[in-house]
PDB file of all heavy atoms in Angstrom:
ATOM      1  N   LYS A  74    -162.299  -7.008 -23.421  1.00  0.00           N
ATOM      2  CA  LYS A  74    -161.271  -6.419 -22.569  1.00  0.00           C
ATOM      3  C   LYS A  74    -160.813  -7.395 -21.481  1.00  0.00           C
ATOM      4  O   LYS A  74    -161.614  -8.085 -20.852  1.00  0.00           O
ATOM      5  CB  LYS A  74    -161.779  -5.140 -21.920  1.00  0.00           C
ATOM      6  CG  LYS A  74    -162.030  -4.006 -22.901  1.00  0.00           C
ATOM      7  CD  LYS A  74    -160.741  -3.596 -23.627  1.00  0.00           C
ATOM      8  CE  LYS A  74    -160.966  -2.444 -24.587  1.00  0.00           C
ATOM      9  NZ  LYS A  74    -159.733  -2.056 -25.298  1.00  0.00           N
ATOM     10  N   LEU A  75    -159.507  -7.446 -21.281  1.00  0.00           N
ATOM     11  CA  LEU A  75    -158.914  -8.197 -20.187  1.00  0.00           C
ATOM     12  C   LEU A  75    -158.894  -7.325 -18.934  1.00  0.00           C
ATOM     13  O   LEU A  75    -159.071  -6.100 -18.999  1.00  0.00           O
ATOM     14  CB  LEU A  75    -157.501  -8.631 -20.555  1.00  0.00           C
ATOM     15  CG  LEU A  75    -157.369  -9.480 -21.832  1.00  0.00           C
ATOM     16  CD1 LEU A  75    -155.901  -9.702 -22.170  1.00  0.00           C
ATOM     17  CD2 LEU A  75    -158.099 -10.801 -21.685  1.00  0.00           C
ATOM     18  N   ILE A  76    -158.661  -7.944 -17.778  1.00  0.00           N
ATOM     19  CA  ILE A  76    -158.741  -7.187 -16.535  1.00  0.00           C
ATOM     20  C   ILE A  76    -157.699  -6.063 -16.491  1.00  0.00           C
ATOM     21  O   ILE A  76    -157.962  -4.979 -15.958  1.00  0.00           O
ATOM     22  CB  ILE A  76    -158.605  -8.120 -15.303  1.00  0.00           C
ATOM     23  CG1 ILE A  76    -158.844  -7.371 -14.004  1.00  0.00           C
ATOM     24  CG2 ILE A  76    -157.271  -8.841 -15.319  1.00  0.00           C
ATOM     25  CD1 ILE A  76    -160.221  -6.748 -13.874  1.00  0.00           C
ATOM     26  N   GLY A  77    -156.517  -6.284 -17.083  1.00  0.00           N
ATOM     27  CA  GLY A  77    -155.520  -5.221 -17.115  1.00  0.00           C
ATOM     28  C   GLY A  77    -155.982  -4.018 -17.916  1.00  0.00           C
ATOM     29  O   GLY A  77    -155.738  -2.866 -17.536  1.00  0.00           O
ATOM     30  N   GLN A  78    -156.676  -4.278 -19.022  1.00  0.00           N
ATOM     31  CA  GLN A  78    -157.213  -3.186 -19.843  1.00  0.00           C
ATOM     32  C   GLN A  78    -158.348  -2.464 -19.122  1.00  0.00           C
ATOM     33  O   GLN A  78    -158.484  -1.237 -19.215  1.00  0.00           O
ATOM     34  CB  GLN A  78    -157.698  -3.744 -21.174  1.00  0.00           C
ATOM     35  CG  GLN A  78    -156.583  -4.298 -22.044  1.00  0.00           C
ATOM     36  CD  GLN A  78    -157.115  -5.056 -23.241  1.00  0.00           C
ATOM     37  OE1 GLN A  78    -157.988  -5.922 -23.115  1.00  0.00           O
ATOM     38  NE2 GLN A  78    -156.603  -4.731 -24.423  1.00  0.00           N
ATOM     39  N   ILE A  79    -159.154  -3.213 -18.406  1.00  0.00           N
ATOM     40  CA  ILE A  79    -160.242  -2.599 -17.635  1.00  0.00           C
ATOM     41  C   ILE A  79    -159.666  -1.665 -16.577  1.00  0.00           C
ATOM     42  O   ILE A  79    -160.136  -0.539 -16.387  1.00  0.00           O
ATOM     43  CB  ILE A  79    -161.123  -3.685 -17.001  1.00  0.00           C
ATOM     44  CG1 ILE A  79    -161.919  -4.427 -18.087  1.00  0.00           C
ATOM     45  CG2 ILE A  79    -162.075  -3.089 -15.961  1.00  0.00           C
ATOM     46  CD1 ILE A  79    -162.680  -5.638 -17.589  1.00  0.00           C
ATOM     47  N   VAL A  80    -158.629  -2.127 -15.889  1.00  0.00           N
ATOM     48  CA  VAL A  80    -157.993  -1.289 -14.870  1.00  0.00           C
ATOM     49  C   VAL A  80    -157.394  -0.038 -15.500  1.00  0.00           C
ATOM     50  O   VAL A  80    -157.552   1.082 -14.998  1.00  0.00           O
ATOM     51  CB  VAL A  80    -156.913  -2.093 -14.117  1.00  0.00           C
ATOM     52  CG1 VAL A  80    -156.065  -1.170 -13.239  1.00  0.00           C
ATOM     53  CG2 VAL A  80    -157.555  -3.186 -13.276  1.00  0.00           C
ATOM     54  N   GLU A  81    -156.721  -0.208 -16.625  1.00  0.00           N
ATOM     55  CA  GLU A  81    -156.020   0.911 -17.261  1.00  0.00           C
ATOM     56  C   GLU A  81    -156.967   1.912 -17.901  1.00  0.00           C
ATOM     57  O   GLU A  81    -156.744   3.126 -17.838  1.00  0.00           O
ATOM     58  CB  GLU A  81    -155.052   0.376 -18.311  1.00  0.00           C
ATOM     59  CG  GLU A  81    -154.255   1.468 -19.022  1.00  0.00           C
ATOM     60  CD  GLU A  81    -153.285   0.900 -20.042  1.00  0.00           C
ATOM     61  OE1 GLU A  81    -153.091  -0.324 -20.071  1.00  0.00           O
ATOM     62  OE2 GLU A  81    -152.720   1.696 -20.827  1.00  0.00           O
ATOM     63  N   GLU A  82    -158.044   1.412 -18.520  1.00  0.00           N
ATOM     64  CA  GLU A  82    -158.880   2.274 -19.354  1.00  0.00           C
ATOM     65  C   GLU A  82    -160.187   2.719 -18.699  1.00  0.00           C
ATOM     66  O   GLU A  82    -160.764   3.731 -19.117  1.00  0.00           O
ATOM     67  CB  GLU A  82    -159.205   1.541 -20.661  1.00  0.00           C
ATOM     68  CG  GLU A  82    -157.975   1.167 -21.474  1.00  0.00           C
ATOM     69  CD  GLU A  82    -158.278   0.189 -22.598  1.00  0.00           C
ATOM     70  OE1 GLU A  82    -159.488  -0.041 -22.882  1.00  0.00           O
ATOM     71  OE2 GLU A  82    -157.337  -0.373 -23.184  1.00  0.00           O
ATOM     72  N   GLN A  83    -160.671   1.986 -17.709  1.00  0.00           N
ATOM     73  CA  GLN A  83    -162.011   2.266 -17.191  1.00  0.00           C
ATOM     74  C   GLN A  83    -162.061   2.663 -15.717  1.00  0.00           C
ATOM     75  O   GLN A  83    -162.909   3.476 -15.326  1.00  0.00           O
ATOM     76  CB  GLN A  83    -162.918   1.042 -17.393  1.00  0.00           C
ATOM     77  CG  GLN A  83    -163.086   0.615 -18.836  1.00  0.00           C
ATOM     78  CD  GLN A  83    -163.956  -0.616 -18.979  1.00  0.00           C
ATOM     79  OE1 GLN A  83    -164.885  -0.855 -18.207  1.00  0.00           O
ATOM     80  NE2 GLN A  83    -163.665  -1.448 -19.975  1.00  0.00           N
ATOM     81  N   VAL A  84    -161.186   2.104 -14.907  1.00  0.00           N
ATOM     82  CA  VAL A  84    -161.330   2.238 -13.458  1.00  0.00           C
ATOM     83  C   VAL A  84    -161.209   3.683 -12.991  1.00  0.00           C
ATOM     84  O   VAL A  84    -162.048   4.185 -12.221  1.00  0.00           O
ATOM     85  CB  VAL A  84    -160.322   1.325 -12.741  1.00  0.00           C
ATOM     86  CG1 VAL A  84    -160.185   1.709 -11.265  1.00  0.00           C
ATOM     87  CG2 VAL A  84    -160.765  -0.130 -12.854  1.00  0.00           C
ATOM     88  N   ASP A  85    -160.182   4.390 -13.426  1.00  0.00           N
ATOM     89  CA  ASP A  85    -160.020   5.776 -12.966  1.00  0.00           C
ATOM     90  C   ASP A  85    -161.151   6.674 -13.464  1.00  0.00           C
ATOM     91  O   ASP A  85    -161.592   7.589 -12.748  1.00  0.00           O
ATOM     92  CB  ASP A  85    -158.675   6.334 -13.427  1.00  0.00           C
ATOM     93  CG  ASP A  85    -157.509   5.800 -12.593  1.00  0.00           C
ATOM     94  OD1 ASP A  85    -157.761   5.219 -11.519  1.00  0.00           O
ATOM     95  OD2 ASP A  85    -156.347   5.967 -13.018  1.00  0.00           O
ATOM     96  N   LEU A  86    -161.632   6.418 -14.681  1.00  0.00           N
ATOM     97  CA  LEU A  86    -162.757   7.195 -15.202  1.00  0.00           C
ATOM     98  C   LEU A  86    -163.990   6.986 -14.324  1.00  0.00           C
ATOM     99  O   LEU A  86    -164.694   7.940 -13.972  1.00  0.00           O
ATOM    100  CB  LEU A  86    -163.062   6.775 -16.639  1.00  0.00           C
ATOM    101  CG  LEU A  86    -162.065   7.200 -17.716  1.00  0.00           C
ATOM    102  CD1 LEU A  86    -162.471   6.609 -19.063  1.00  0.00           C
ATOM    103  CD2 LEU A  86    -161.989   8.725 -17.811  1.00  0.00           C
ATOM    104  N   ALA A  87    -164.259   5.734 -13.971  1.00  0.00           N
ATOM    105  CA  ALA A  87    -165.425   5.437 -13.139  1.00  0.00           C
ATOM    106  C   ALA A  87    -165.285   6.067 -11.758  1.00  0.00           C
ATOM    107  O   ALA A  87    -166.239   6.662 -11.226  1.00  0.00           O
ATOM    108  CB  ALA A  87    -165.604   3.926 -13.015  1.00  0.00           C
ATOM    109  N   ALA A  88    -164.108   5.967 -11.173  1.00  0.00           N
ATOM    110  CA  ALA A  88    -163.890   6.537  -9.850  1.00  0.00           C
ATOM    111  C   ALA A  88    -164.070   8.052  -9.853  1.00  0.00           C
ATOM    112  O   ALA A  88    -164.646   8.634  -8.921  1.00  0.00           O
ATOM    113  CB  ALA A  88    -162.494   6.171  -9.349  1.00  0.00           C
ATOM    114  N   ALA A  89    -163.605   8.703 -10.923  1.00  0.00           N
ATOM    115  CA  ALA A  89    -163.721  10.161 -11.005  1.00  0.00           C
ATOM    116  C   ALA A  89    -165.171  10.626 -11.109  1.00  0.00           C
ATOM    117  O   ALA A  89    -165.493  11.763 -10.738  1.00  0.00           O
ATOM    118  CB  ALA A  89    -162.918  10.663 -12.206  1.00  0.00           C
ATOM    119  N   MET A  90    -166.044   9.771 -11.603  1.00  0.00           N
ATOM    120  CA  MET A  90    -167.459  10.130 -11.719  1.00  0.00           C
ATOM    121  C   MET A  90    -168.164  10.111 -10.370  1.00  0.00           C
ATOM    122  O   MET A  90    -169.223  10.724 -10.217  1.00  0.00           O
ATOM    123  CB  MET A  90    -168.159   9.174 -12.694  1.00  0.00           C
ATOM    124  CG  MET A  90    -167.683   9.316 -14.128  1.00  0.00           C
ATOM    125  SD  MET A  90    -168.439   8.072 -15.223  1.00  0.00           S
ATOM    126  CE  MET A  90    -167.621   8.447 -16.792  1.00  0.00           C
ATOM    127  N   ARG A  91    -167.619   9.383  -9.384  1.00  0.00           N
ATOM    128  CA  ARG A  91    -168.153   9.298  -8.024  1.00  0.00           C
ATOM    129  C   ARG A  91    -169.660   9.010  -8.019  1.00  0.00           C
ATOM    130  O   ARG A  91    -170.439   9.744  -7.396  1.00  0.00           O
ATOM    131  CB  ARG A  91    -167.839  10.565  -7.229  1.00  0.00           C
ATOM    132  CG  ARG A  91    -166.355  10.899  -7.165  1.00  0.00           C
ATOM    133  CD  ARG A  91    -166.071  12.030  -6.199  1.00  0.00           C
ATOM    134  NE  ARG A  91    -166.239  11.591  -4.820  1.00  0.00           N
ATOM    135  CZ  ARG A  91    -165.272  11.052  -4.069  1.00  0.00           C
ATOM    136  NH1 ARG A  91    -164.064  10.885  -4.577  1.00  0.00           N
ATOM    137  NH2 ARG A  91    -165.522  10.689  -2.833  1.00  0.00           N
ATOM    138  N   PRO A  92    -170.101   7.972  -8.679  1.00  0.00           N
ATOM    139  CA  PRO A  92    -171.531   7.650  -8.701  1.00  0.00           C
ATOM    140  C   PRO A  92    -171.974   6.978  -7.408  1.00  0.00           C
ATOM    141  O   PRO A  92    -171.146   6.563  -6.586  1.00  0.00           O
ATOM    142  CB  PRO A  92    -171.642   6.676  -9.872  1.00  0.00           C
ATOM    143  CG  PRO A  92    -170.337   5.941  -9.825  1.00  0.00           C
ATOM    144  CD  PRO A  92    -169.304   6.976  -9.420  1.00  0.00           C
ATOM    145  N   ASP A  93    -173.264   6.846  -7.247  1.00  0.00           N
ATOM    146  CA  ASP A  93    -173.783   6.101  -6.089  1.00  0.00           C
ATOM    147  C   ASP A  93    -173.412   4.622  -6.188  1.00  0.00           C
ATOM    148  O   ASP A  93    -173.043   4.000  -5.199  1.00  0.00           O
ATOM    149  CB  ASP A  93    -175.311   6.228  -6.013  1.00  0.00           C
ATOM    150  CG  ASP A  93    -175.757   7.610  -5.587  1.00  0.00           C
ATOM    151  OD1 ASP A  93    -174.900   8.413  -5.161  1.00  0.00           O
ATOM    152  OD2 ASP A  93    -176.968   7.893  -5.679  1.00  0.00           O
ATOM    153  N   VAL A  94    -173.538   4.062  -7.391  1.00  0.00           N
ATOM    154  CA  VAL A  94    -173.299   2.627  -7.591  1.00  0.00           C
ATOM    155  C   VAL A  94    -172.310   2.419  -8.725  1.00  0.00           C
ATOM    156  O   VAL A  94    -172.435   3.040  -9.788  1.00  0.00           O
ATOM    157  CB  VAL A  94    -174.615   1.880  -7.919  1.00  0.00           C
ATOM    158  CG1 VAL A  94    -174.346   0.386  -8.154  1.00  0.00           C
ATOM    159  CG2 VAL A  94    -175.643   2.062  -6.808  1.00  0.00           C
ATOM    160  N   ILE A  95    -171.329   1.556  -8.509  1.00  0.00           N
ATOM    161  CA  ILE A  95    -170.436   1.086  -9.567  1.00  0.00           C
ATOM    162  C   ILE A  95    -170.543  -0.434  -9.628  1.00  0.00           C
ATOM    163  O   ILE A  95    -170.467  -1.112  -8.598  1.00  0.00           O
ATOM    164  CB  ILE A  95    -168.968   1.476  -9.322  1.00  0.00           C
ATOM    165  CG1 ILE A  95    -168.781   2.998  -9.359  1.00  0.00           C
ATOM    166  CG2 ILE A  95    -168.052   0.825 -10.366  1.00  0.00           C
ATOM    167  CD1 ILE A  95    -167.365   3.455  -9.037  1.00  0.00           C
ATOM    168  N   THR A  96    -170.725  -0.977 -10.827  1.00  0.00           N
ATOM    169  CA  THR A  96    -170.649  -2.418 -11.015  1.00  0.00           C
ATOM    170  C   THR A  96    -169.338  -2.735 -11.716  1.00  0.00           C
ATOM    171  O   THR A  96    -168.951  -2.061 -12.667  1.00  0.00           O
ATOM    172  CB  THR A  96    -171.825  -2.958 -11.856  1.00  0.00           C
ATOM    173  OG1 THR A  96    -171.772  -2.413 -13.179  1.00  0.00           O
ATOM    174  CG2 THR A  96    -173.161  -2.591 -11.216  1.00  0.00           C
ATOM    175  N   LEU A  97    -168.656  -3.763 -11.231  1.00  0.00           N
ATOM    176  CA  LEU A  97    -167.378  -4.184 -11.801  1.00  0.00           C
ATOM    177  C   LEU A  97    -167.427  -5.683 -12.066  1.00  0.00           C
ATOM    178  O   LEU A  97    -167.596  -6.475 -11.132  1.00  0.00           O
ATOM    179  CB  LEU A  97    -166.228  -3.869 -10.839  1.00  0.00           C
ATOM    180  CG  LEU A  97    -164.874  -4.518 -11.156  1.00  0.00           C
ATOM    181  CD1 LEU A  97    -164.320  -4.016 -12.487  1.00  0.00           C
ATOM    182  CD2 LEU A  97    -163.879  -4.271 -10.016  1.00  0.00           C
ATOM    183  N   VAL A  98    -167.311  -6.053 -13.326  1.00  0.00           N
ATOM    184  CA  VAL A  98    -167.213  -7.466 -13.705  1.00  0.00           C
ATOM    185  C   VAL A  98    -166.060  -7.589 -14.683  1.00  0.00           C
ATOM    186  O   VAL A  98    -166.090  -7.001 -15.769  1.00  0.00           O
ATOM    187  CB  VAL A  98    -168.512  -7.983 -14.363  1.00  0.00           C
ATOM    188  CG1 VAL A  98    -168.431  -9.501 -14.531  1.00  0.00           C
ATOM    189  CG2 VAL A  98    -169.741  -7.614 -13.535  1.00  0.00           C
ATOM    190  N   GLY A  99    -165.034  -8.333 -14.320  1.00  0.00           N
ATOM    191  CA  GLY A  99    -163.878  -8.480 -15.192  1.00  0.00           C
ATOM    192  C   GLY A  99    -163.015  -9.650 -14.762  1.00  0.00           C
ATOM    193  O   GLY A  99    -163.123 -10.144 -13.638  1.00  0.00           O
ATOM    194  N   GLY A 100    -162.167 -10.078 -15.669  1.00  0.00           N
ATOM    195  CA  GLY A 100    -161.257 -11.166 -15.371  1.00  0.00           C
ATOM    196  C   GLY A 100    -161.621 -12.472 -16.044  1.00  0.00           C
ATOM    197  O   GLY A 100    -160.758 -13.352 -16.210  1.00  0.00           O
ATOM    198  N   LEU A 101    -162.881 -12.613 -16.454  1.00  0.00           N
ATOM    199  CA  LEU A 101    -163.293 -13.883 -17.051  1.00  0.00           C
ATOM    200  C   LEU A 101    -162.635 -14.097 -18.411  1.00  0.00           C
ATOM    201  O   LEU A 101    -162.271 -15.223 -18.760  1.00  0.00           O
ATOM    202  CB  LEU A 101    -164.815 -13.939 -17.181  1.00  0.00           C
ATOM    203  CG  LEU A 101    -165.412 -15.350 -17.174  1.00  0.00           C
ATOM    204  CD1 LEU A 101    -165.103 -16.058 -15.866  1.00  0.00           C
ATOM    205  CD2 LEU A 101    -166.909 -15.308 -17.395  1.00  0.00           C
ATOM    206  N   ASN A 102    -162.473 -13.030 -19.190  1.00  0.00           N
ATOM    207  CA  ASN A 102    -161.776 -13.170 -20.476  1.00  0.00           C
ATOM    208  C   ASN A 102    -160.351 -13.684 -20.268  1.00  0.00           C
ATOM    209  O   ASN A 102    -159.840 -14.457 -21.081  1.00  0.00           O
ATOM    210  CB  ASN A 102    -161.741 -11.841 -21.221  1.00  0.00           C
ATOM    211  CG  ASN A 102    -163.062 -11.501 -21.876  1.00  0.00           C
ATOM    212  OD1 ASN A 102    -163.835 -12.387 -22.217  1.00  0.00           O
ATOM    213  ND2 ASN A 102    -163.332 -10.221 -22.048  1.00  0.00           N
ATOM    214  N   ASP A 103    -159.725 -13.260 -19.177  1.00  0.00           N
ATOM    215  CA  ASP A 103    -158.366 -13.741 -18.877  1.00  0.00           C
ATOM    216  C   ASP A 103    -158.361 -15.240 -18.616  1.00  0.00           C
ATOM    217  O   ASP A 103    -157.466 -15.953 -19.074  1.00  0.00           O
ATOM    218  CB  ASP A 103    -157.820 -13.004 -17.652  1.00  0.00           C
ATOM    219  CG  ASP A 103    -157.692 -11.513 -17.862  1.00  0.00           C
ATOM    220  OD1 ASP A 103    -158.715 -10.811 -17.779  1.00  0.00           O
ATOM    221  OD2 ASP A 103    -156.568 -11.034 -18.100  1.00  0.00           O
ATOM    222  N   THR A 104    -159.359 -15.706 -17.877  1.00  0.00           N
ATOM    223  CA  THR A 104    -159.380 -17.132 -17.511  1.00  0.00           C
ATOM    224  C   THR A 104    -159.572 -18.030 -18.727  1.00  0.00           C
ATOM    225  O   THR A 104    -159.238 -19.219 -18.682  1.00  0.00           O
ATOM    226  CB  THR A 104    -160.482 -17.435 -16.491  1.00  0.00           C
ATOM    227  OG1 THR A 104    -161.781 -17.287 -17.087  1.00  0.00           O
ATOM    228  CG2 THR A 104    -160.369 -16.535 -15.270  1.00  0.00           C
ATOM    229  N   LEU A 105    -160.105 -17.480 -19.816  1.00  0.00           N
ATOM    230  CA  LEU A 105    -160.347 -18.269 -21.018  1.00  0.00           C
ATOM    231  C   LEU A 105    -159.131 -18.304 -21.943  1.00  0.00           C
ATOM    232  O   LEU A 105    -159.156 -18.990 -22.962  1.00  0.00           O
ATOM    233  CB  LEU A 105    -161.554 -17.714 -21.781  1.00  0.00           C
ATOM    234  CG  LEU A 105    -162.896 -17.725 -21.033  1.00  0.00           C
ATOM    235  CD1 LEU A 105    -163.983 -17.084 -21.880  1.00  0.00           C
ATOM    236  CD2 LEU A 105    -163.288 -19.138 -20.637  1.00  0.00           C
ATOM    237  N   ARG A 106    -158.094 -17.559 -21.605  1.00  0.00           N
ATOM    238  CA  ARG A 106    -156.879 -17.576 -22.410  1.00  0.00           C
ATOM    239  C   ARG A 106    -156.076 -18.837 -22.092  1.00  0.00           C
ATOM    240  O   ARG A 106    -156.008 -19.259 -20.932  1.00  0.00           O
ATOM    241  CB  ARG A 106    -156.025 -16.339 -22.124  1.00  0.00           C
ATOM    242  CG  ARG A 106    -156.689 -15.007 -22.499  1.00  0.00           C
ATOM    243  CD  ARG A 106    -156.680 -14.812 -23.989  1.00  0.00           C
ATOM    244  NE  ARG A 106    -157.392 -13.608 -24.386  1.00  0.00           N
ATOM    245  CZ  ARG A 106    -156.827 -12.595 -25.058  1.00  0.00           C
ATOM    246  NH1 ARG A 106    -155.544 -12.647 -25.368  1.00  0.00           N
ATOM    247  NH2 ARG A 106    -157.547 -11.544 -25.420  1.00  0.00           N
TER     248      ARG A 106
END
Side-chain angles (χ1 to χ4, degrees):
K74 293 299 181 181
L75 303 173
I76 186 61
Q78 294 170 311
I79 291 172
V80 169
E81 181 179 350
E82 300 167 11
Q83 300 178 32
V84 165
D85 284 346
L86 288 176
M90 293 175 183
R91 304 189 72 89
D93 288 350
V94 179
I95 295 176
T96 64
L97 167 64
V98 189
L101 206 61
N102 283 333
D103 298 79
T104 68
L105 299 177
R106 297 285 176 120

